[in-house]
Amino acid sequence: MPPEAGLAVAACWTRLVREIAAFSRREALASRDVVVLLPFAQHLPLARAAWLALDHAPWMPRFETTQTLLRSLGPPQPASSGELAFDPVTDPLQAAQLLREQVPDWPHRDPRGFALAVARLNETAQALARARQALPPAQRVAWLEKARLLLSGATGPGQQERALARLALEWSNTAATMGSDALHALRPAAWVALRVGASDPLVESLLAASSVPVLWLDADLHGPRLRSAPGAVQVSECDDFEDEAQRAAAQVLAHLAQGEQPVALVALDRVLLRRVRALLERQQVPVSDETGWKLSTTRAGATVMGLLRAVHPRAATDDLLDWLASAPAPVDGRAALDAAWRRDGITALRQVDEVRLEPAALALWRQWLAIGEPLSATRRLALGEWLARLREALLRAGLWEALLGDAAGRQVIDALRCRAEPAAGSAWAQQAAHVRFDADGLRDWVDGVLEAVSFEPPSPGLSGAAPVILTPLARAVLRPFAAVVCPGADAAHLGALPKPQALLGDVLAAELGLPSSAQRREHERRAFAQLLRVPRLTLLHRRRDGAEPLQASPLLLQLQFDVREAVRSGGEPRTPVAVVPRPLAHPLPVAPALLPDSLNATAYEALRACPYRFFAQRLLGLAEAEELDDAVDKRDYGTWLHAVLQDFHCQRQPGAPQDDAALLLAIARARQALLARDDADFLPFAVWFEVLLPRYLAWWHAEEALGANVIDTELELRAQPPALAAAGLRLRGTLDRIDAVPGEGGQGAAHRILDYKTTSETVLRERLRQPLEDTQLPFYAALLDASRGIPPDGVQAAYLSLDGRDDVKLLAHPDVADSAAILLEGIAADFTRLQAGAPMPALGEGSACEHCSARGLCRRDHWREDRA
């Protein structure tokens, strides 16, 4: 007889143990010889405590789960070569080997499809093996014949899936059944089993075939309706992800503040639960996680994967710097190595030149080469040899002992089989010796293992039990939580129809004894109904997930319909905090002593755009550390294009017969080789340059025909114009190119300053529409006059648009001489004021403020609105 729907958890356990005691008396059994099978290990202490609380309690029966009972019968035997082992490490390797034997070229022809097939073959084989092992031994042969018949002879769509299912069936038949055979051979005085939530096929068949007395205790809440609850149920509708996470964490804290513990956090949405857990840990609330998290998310797992990424032949410098930053102790020389690579623009480890490294950086680099040497093999090696090399690399890095001293580290080492020698003749011994990987294959395999194996934190014991327990929905049933907080009660995470088995589908799965989608959904409904037994239940869901609307769970909607009188709307559990606004004053720094004695065009343009940004970046020397990215961006392309055009005009002989296109293309390839960029990385810009090349040559040949000639390229100049002598300021800069061109009206010759631009023609025309707003070309004209004595009246200046979208365009400054004179007057006036102590305010307006790296220093978003 099942416990009543309205019974609380403690009363439910009391009712269950009384039924067991009455059954023992009725059958004249010694209770100590009765075996009681419970769904989860967490139920064992609850049942034992309830039994001890009975009046005149007889000898306690054996409270077990199928797993604890199996372990009491003896240790499991390692799987032999070729057998299905239910091992997340060996089984995927065996599945891949089976598929390669069937279709040898599949891994090379379709790597992603092959990996998906391996995962589905492994999943299906394990499910079929469990279904077969749950049967009594006498029924397994008939089940196997039935399964073969169902999977054979089908035609039409899904032939590949059916073939994989047949292979999975034959592989599942290799799984050892000694554990379940021992259970079927066991003869206790009687069997008692508790059915709650999902049914266990092994327990069902074990008791159905038993020759001893059997008692089923059914604690499920049957029927289409969700029953009324003994405790309080509240539902909170949240705005979005963050609102839901904050409310869930605040609700847990509210329960703890009222002395209600332990509190269960039900893991429906794992991403949301990670955020909730982070919020609780911020409040120093201990959380015990029964769901387990992947080894790949632990620091130990990240350390091992970081090492493998950094030793890869195509590793980026960021890979090594990230790994060094994650080291348990600070690493000498890392900052020097980082600075050297940023200075030289080194983004790939294959580009590193030891000659350019300072002593501290060089020592660390050579230490790294010694650490990575065991893993630097370029040929395919046996998996066992790779793992021996991985252990050697960890030893050289001083990480082996650190990993062994950490719970997660030990589990990472054991999951990768780096510590123990494989048992002779075992499946792992065979795979370690014969499975071969290259560096890519090893990294993918290690990543797959760390993703497949969950970290199991050490048990805190009864005395160290955490006040908050993170648990799956199925394991929350019939446990005496003071309160349950269930975030993620939405249509995507609770009550949705599960996906059918990938290779079998629902119909075949049901025929073969596997749970169908509808059965799994019903099991979830029963587990959800059990939450109504706790004193306090809070269900949270959000209205939208990002930009997408998100409905409440169908189970939640059914609960609100069935027992609407017992469900109330949840209040705001968060405590409001009054924050007194304290706006900051407009920053007005004064720094005459820090002013530079020389100025380039970019620095003065920064001063004009925002004096405070000039103060922060130029006077204080503050700058963002750019990411070392192996990808080629437009800035890299612009630097490369400048160098290509410089080499072209230096090597080309004007007027001599030559193939300009071939020369320019050869120079481009040589410059790309100096950058150590792969063709794949450089491909977008290589295509861009192929389009630009004929257009540039056509433009330049036309210019030559008009009498133009290149005088100089990449010309570095430094001089002090007379207008800046009083301020003691010099100008400096690098001119991309100076041409000699016919003067206006054909009178004499003139100098033309050219500045290469890969920005769009529209942007350049907008800059020149107001000549006095353009800083660069007038600055270069003034600098050329001061250094070479070439007055701006005889100088032309223009931007050369090389963006590749259209023909090459020459965009001339309309009156560079007047602009240069006005610019010098402005520079002199600005620096005279700054040297006299004028402030450098943050303007806080315009496009310069939208993407400013100094915005966090000037605190633009915290100013008073009444600033001057």
Side-chain angles (χ1 to χ4, degrees):
M1 181 177 178
E4 292 85 351
L7 282 182
V9 172
C12 189
W13 281 108
T14 301
R15 172 70 182 278
L16 291 172
V17 296
R18 285 176 179 171
E19 292 287 342
I20 298 172
F23 169 73
S24 300
R25 290 193 300 268
R26 189 167 58 249
E27 298 291 333
L29 301 172
S31 58
R32 65 176 177 274
D33 297 328
V34 175
V35 175
V36 182
L37 294 178
L38 302 176
F40 301 110
Q42 290 83 358
H43 292 151
L44 299 179
L46 304 177
R48 292 165 183 159
W51 183 271
L52 293 175
L54 289 175
D55 294 332
H56 309 291
W59 196 274
M60 184 181 296
R62 290 185 61 181
F63 290 105
E64 303 279 1
T65 67
T66 53
Q67 294 303 310
T68 60
L69 189 55
L70 278 172
R71 284 195 292 269
S72 71
L73 298 177
Q77 295 297 318
S80 300
S81 176
E83 288 185 350
L84 181 67
F86 298 99
D87 186 327
V89 177
T90 61
D91 284 347
L93 293 174
Q94 182 65 29
Q97 180 180 340
L98 290 172
L99 288 181
R100 280 194 296 267
E101 291 173 356
Q102 302 293 322
V103 190
D105 67 331
W106 194 353
H108 308 287
R109 173 170 47 84
D110 182 13
R112 296 182 67 180
F114 180 78
L116 180 61
V118 167
R120 288 181 171 175
L121 175 63
N122 183 37
E123 173 194 350
T124 306
Q126 291 190 7
L128 291 171
R130 288 191 176 94
R132 183 176 65 90
Q133 290 179 353
L135 297 173
Q139 299 179 15
R140 291 173 186 161
V141 174
W143 178 90
L144 183 59
E145 293 303 320
K146 175 185 176 182
R148 285 171 175 166
L149 182 63
L150 289 172
L151 294 175
S152 64
T155 59
Q159 286 297 297
Q160 185 182 72
E161 287 78 5
R162 192 59 56 86
L164 286 173
R166 288 194 293 269
L167 182 59
L169 176 64
E170 299 306 324
W171 185 29
S172 72
N173 195 38
T174 66
T177 59
M178 291 179 293
S180 59
D181 287 353
L183 287 183
H184 280 284
L186 198 62
R187 292 294 181 268
W191 289 105
V192 178
L194 173 62
R195 182 187 287 122
V196 59
S199 59
D200 187 338
L202 177 57
V203 176
E204 299 275 352
S205 73
L206 188 64
L207 271 63
S210 176
S211 59
V212 301
V214 170
L215 173 65
W216 274 105
L217 299 172
D218 192 343
D220 278 328
L221 303 176
H222 297 280
R225 290 172 55 86
L226 293 172
R227 312 295 179 82
S228 60
V233 180
Q234 63 177 6
V235 176
S236 291
E237 188 177 35
C238 309
D239 292 331
D240 52 21
F241 177 94
E242 183 62 23
D243 186 38
E244 185 174 6
Q246 290 184 11
R247 287 192 181 215
Q251 188 64 53
V252 172
L253 294 173
H255 287 308
L256 296 179
Q258 296 170 13
E260 298 169 349
Q261 64 179 46
V263 179
L265 261 174
V266 178
L268 298 176
D269 183 345
R270 296 298 299 272
V271 177
L272 179 66
L273 260 294
R274 282 201 294 268
R275 176 59 177 156
V276 175
R277 179 171 183 168
L279 293 173
L280 292 175
E281 289 178 345
R282 192 177 296 175
Q283 300 297 321
Q284 288 80 47
V285 176
V287 178
S288 175
D289 191 343
E290 295 180 354
T291 65
W293 56 92
K294 301 301 182 184
L295 284 177
S296 58
T297 64
T298 63
R299 181 171 183 174
T303 297
V304 173
M305 279 304 300
L307 174 63
L308 293 176
R309 280 192 291 269
V311 299
H312 194 274
R314 296 187 298 277
T317 47
D318 262 350
D319 292 329
L320 177 54
L321 292 173
D322 289 345
W323 185 75
L324 293 173
S326 67
V331 179
D332 294 336
R334 181 187 180 276
L337 204 58
D338 189 0
W341 289 343
R342 292 185 188 281
R343 178 196 64 213
D344 297 338
I346 303 299
T347 60
L349 294 182
R350 64 182 182 277
Q351 298 173 292
V352 174
D353 183 1
E354 292 189 357
V355 176
R356 295 185 57 79
L357 296 179
E358 298 177 357
L362 180 60
L364 178 58
W365 172 248
R366 289 179 175 171
Q367 179 184 353
W368 161 248
L369 292 178
I371 292 172
E373 186 272 333
L375 296 170
S376 61
T378 57
R379 65 185 189 281
R380 295 172 66 86
L381 299 174
L383 177 56
E385 184 174 352
W386 272 123
L387 295 178
R389 288 170 175 248
L390 175 60
R391 174 173 178 165
E392 176 63 25
L394 292 171
L395 284 168
R396 293 187 182 189
L399 292 174
W400 182 259
E401 293 300 326
L403 290 174
L404 290 180
D406 173 63
R410 289 191 298 274
Q411 293 181 40
V412 166
I413 289 175
D414 290 340
L416 297 177
R417 310 297 201 264
C418 287
R419 187 159 48 158
E421 291 295 326
S426 66
W428 171 241
Q430 189 268 343
Q431 290 160 358
H434 294 94
V435 174
R436 305 183 73 83
F437 287 135
D438 56 11
D440 286 326
L442 173 69
R443 185 175 60 176
D444 291 344
W445 178 81
V446 171
D447 184 53
V449 170
L450 298 181
E451 278 292 325
V453 181
S454 294
F455 170 57
E456 298 178 3
S459 174
L462 295 177
S463 60
V468 179
I469 299 175
L470 182 59
T471 183
L473 176 60
R475 293 191 187 181
V477 301
L478 289 185
R479 296 176 65 182
F481 296 117
V484 171
V485 178
C486 186
D490 52 64
H493 299 97
L494 178 65
L497 188 65
K499 293 181 179 179
Q501 214 285 334
L503 299 183
L504 299 176
D506 272 342
V507 176
L508 274 177
E511 287 278 349
L512 295 174
L514 277 65
S516 65
S517 299
Q519 288 172 326
R520 283 181 283 157
R521 190 183 194 185
E522 174 60 19
H523 294 160
E524 184 181 42
R525 191 193 73 85
R526 294 178 184 176
F528 175 75
Q530 292 292 333
L531 295 182
L532 302 177
R533 297 186 186 277
V534 300
R536 301 282 186 273
L537 172 61
T538 302
L539 301 163
L540 303 99
H541 69 95
R542 54 188 180 272
R543 299 186 187 94
R544 56 186 175 87
D545 191 18
E548 298 296 325
L550 189 59
Q551 299 296 322
S553 164
L555 293 178
L556 175 55
L557 296 176
Q558 181 187 353
L559 175 66
Q560 291 175 316
F561 179 80
D562 289 347
V563 288
R564 61 175 64 90
E565 70 284 351
V567 179
R568 61 184 178 86
S569 178
E572 174 58 76
R574 291 169 291 190
T575 303
V577 177
V579 178
V580 179
R582 295 179 181 177
L584 300 178
H586 194 66
L588 298 171
V590 175
L594 298 179
L595 292 173
D597 58 2
S598 65
L599 192 70
N600 63 15
T602 304
Y604 187 62
E605 192 166 11
L607 177 63
R608 296 180 72 182
C610 178
Y612 186 88
R613 186 166 69 178
F614 174 81
F615 163 75
Q617 294 182 341
R618 304 290 171 168
L619 305 191
L620 299 183
L622 304 177
E624 287 182 307
E626 296 184 6
E627 291 293 329
L628 286 170
D629 190 356
D630 198 32
V632 183
D633 59 18
K634 198 166 184 180
R635 178 184 295 182
D636 297 324
Y637 172 72
T639 303
W640 170 83
L641 184 59
H642 276 65
V644 168
L645 294 179
Q646 180 187 15
D647 290 352
F648 172 71
H649 287 290
C650 288
Q651 297 178 25
R652 181 176 182 270
Q653 299 298 321
Q658 54 196 318
D659 188 345
D660 283 347
L663 176 61
L664 191 54
L665 189 59
I667 291 172
R669 289 172 177 167
R671 277 290 178 177
Q672 180 185 339
L674 290 177
L675 290 176
R677 302 290 191 180
D678 292 339
D679 289 341
D681 294 335
F682 206 75
L683 180 60
F685 297 107
V687 173
W688 198 349
F689 182 73
E690 287 180 5
V691 175
L692 175 66
L693 188 151
R695 294 175 178 176
Y696 176 80
L697 291 178
W699 170 82
W700 178 238
H701 289 160
E703 290 289 306
E704 277 190 317
L706 296 175
N709 185 37
V710 177
I711 298 177
D712 215 333
T713 60
E714 300 298 324
L715 179 63
E716 294 186 8
L717 299 176
R718 183 183 291 263
Q720 185 179 70
L724 302 181
L729 190 65
R730 299 169 63 86
L731 302 185
R732 55 185 170 83
T734 301
L735 282 61
D736 289 347
R737 176 167 145 190
I738 300 177
D739 291 349
V741 296
E744 295 183 2
Q747 300 297 319
H751 290 78
R752 181 175 67 191
I753 300 171
L754 281 186
D755 195 75
Y756 301 136
K757 294 294 183 184
T758 57
T759 51
S760 69
E761 178 186 347
T762 304
V763 173
L764 297 175
R765 289 191 183 279
E766 184 64 28
R767 181 184 299 184
L768 295 173
R769 185 169 287 115
Q770 297 179 337
L772 295 181
E773 294 299 320
D774 180 34
T775 301
Q776 195 167 8
L777 293 179
F779 188 98
Y780 288 160
L783 180 58
L784 187 63
D785 179 21
S787 59
R788 295 291 179 90
I790 302 174
D793 291 343
V795 171
Q796 302 174 19
Y799 293 118
L800 190 62
S801 175
L802 303 172
D803 71 337
R805 296 183 179 89
D806 204 344
D807 292 338
V808 173
K809 297 289 182 62
L810 189 73
L811 306 175
H813 193 287
D815 194 350
V816 72
D818 287 348
S819 296
I822 295 173
L823 181 71
L824 289 177
E825 291 177 7
I827 294 175
D830 288 342
F831 270 78
T832 299
R833 289 188 304 104
L834 294 176
Q835 290 168 350
M840 288 172 277
L843 300 182
E845 298 174 355
S847 59
C849 197
E850 293 177 5
H851 305 288
C852 178
S853 59
R855 189 175 182 126
L857 295 176
C858 77
R859 308 301 294 273
R860 167 67 184 83
D861 301 310
H862 303 273
W863 292 350
R864 288 196 300 265
E865 292 300 325
D866 59 345
R867 63 187 185 276

